[in-house]
Amino acid sequence: MTIINTFPIGITGGIASGKSTATNIIKEQLGLTVVCADTISREITKKPTVIKKIAEKFGAEIIVNKQINRAMLRGIITESREAKKWLEDYLHPVINREVRKQVKESATVMTMVDIPLLAPYNLRHYDYLKKVIVVKADTETRVQRLMARDGRNRQQATAFINLQISDAEREKMADYIIDNTNLSDEEYKDALINAINDITNLTN
């Protein structure tokens, strides 16, 4: 598919790296379109056919008030790599089609595509991305953020981080890397804007 009228930039990062803060800055302060794979995933998992398929795999108890209990599902995939892989393999094609559609419809010169699960092994599915920004932070920083933000204990936070690919793997596909381990809010914003400005210069 050819993407027209926009310059798609992928952004990814592990949980509690600060990626969501980055996309908020991009959307609210820079005025660029942000297409979020997580948001699309949440909408897709509300569809009856998808709910039925997930319930067949993980059991009827995962349905609460006719919707997927996302906390329970998150717990299952945290404990099982096989379950995580099955879910990703099932949902990925559907999510990717909608991501592509929204990028194509974007009205801004650049479009930020927020893909938490972007990895070297699936990058080929996002061949329309012109550049990739990776946001990273060291493991201890992310553990502390998860404990403070989500009320997880250290074991739960560490398990969730370990379930994802490593920053070293993410960096293999990065055009820009922002290390958000020790940055202040202002320094983080500046680093992000510098990356966007550099990309803008390359496209002019």
Side-chain angles (χ1 to χ4, degrees), residues 158-172:
T158 302
F160 206 94
I161 289 170
N162 289 340
L163 198 63
Q164 300 182 327
I165 66 168
S166 67
D167 281 338
E169 282 295 301
R170 291 188 187 92
E171 288 177 27
K172 292 178 181 178

Side-chain angles (χ1 to χ4, degrees), residues 54 57-58 72-91 163:
I54 292 174
K57 174 67 177 177
F58 298 118
M72 184 181 294
L73 183 60
R74 193 180 304 115
I76 291 171
I77 64 173
T78 299
E79 296 295 326
S80 168
R81 288 185 179 272
E82 183 277 331
K84 179 175 180 287
K85 184 179 186 304
W86 180 89
L87 189 67
E88 289 179 4
D89 289 347
Y90 171 56
L91 292 178
L163 198 63

Side-chain angles (χ1 to χ4, degrees), residues 26-199:
I26 290 161
K27 183 177 181 179
E28 302 298 332
Q29 300 189 34
L30 301 182
L32 298 178
T33 299
V34 174
V35 176
C36 180
D38 258 1
T39 301
I40 291 169
S41 174
R42 281 193 291 272
E43 291 304 313
I44 285 172
T45 53
K46 292 178 182 177
K47 294 182 177 181
T49 53
V50 174
I51 292 171
K52 182 174 182 291
K53 188 77 172 180
I54 292 174
E56 287 173 354
K57 174 67 177 177
F58 298 118
E61 63 272 15
I62 204 163
I63 302 175
V64 177
N65 296 325
K66 299 182 179 180
Q67 296 294 323
I68 296 295
N69 182 329
R70 294 183 65 85
M72 184 181 294
L73 183 60
R74 193 180 304 115
I76 291 171
I77 64 173
T78 299
E79 296 295 326
S80 168
R81 288 185 179 272
E82 183 277 331
K84 179 175 180 287
K85 184 179 186 304
W86 180 89
L87 189 67
E88 289 179 4
D89 289 347
Y90 171 56
L91 292 178
H92 182 83
V94 187
I95 294 169
N96 194 25
R97 281 196 296 271
E98 182 61 23
V99 168
R100 285 175 175 262
K101 176 176 177 290
Q102 291 190 22
V103 170
K104 189 174 182 180
E105 293 171 349
S106 172
T108 54
V109 174
M110 284 186 180
T111 299
M112 193 62 62
V113 188
D114 178 356
I115 311 172
L117 299 180
L118 190 64
Y121 70 84
N122 63 27
L123 185 60
R124 68 186 185 279
H125 297 300
Y126 300 93
D127 55 359
Y128 50 87
L129 296 175
K130 304 297 186 184
K131 298 291 178 184
V132 173
I133 299 172
V134 169
V135 179
K136 59 182 279 188
D138 69 30
T139 301
E140 181 57 26
T141 298
R142 293 167 63 196
V143 166
Q144 292 296 331
R145 289 173 181 168
L146 277 175
M147 291 169 66
R149 186 187 76 186
D150 297 348
R152 299 177 188 269
N153 61 37
R154 176 172 288 275
Q155 183 179 357
Q156 291 170 330
T158 302
F160 206 94
I161 289 170
N162 289 340
L163 198 63
Q164 300 182 327
I165 66 168
S166 67
D167 281 338
E169 282 295 301
R170 291 188 187 92
E171 288 177 27
K172 292 178 181 178
M173 59 186 176
D175 296 291
Y176 298 86
I177 299 169
I178 300 175
D179 189 339
N180 186 34
T181 301
N182 296 309
L183 296 182
S184 67
D185 290 348
E186 197 62 31
E187 288 170 336
Y188 184 37
K189 176 182 170 183
D190 287 346
L192 179 63
I193 291 175
N194 286 341
I196 299 294
N197 285 342
D198 191 63
I199 294 171

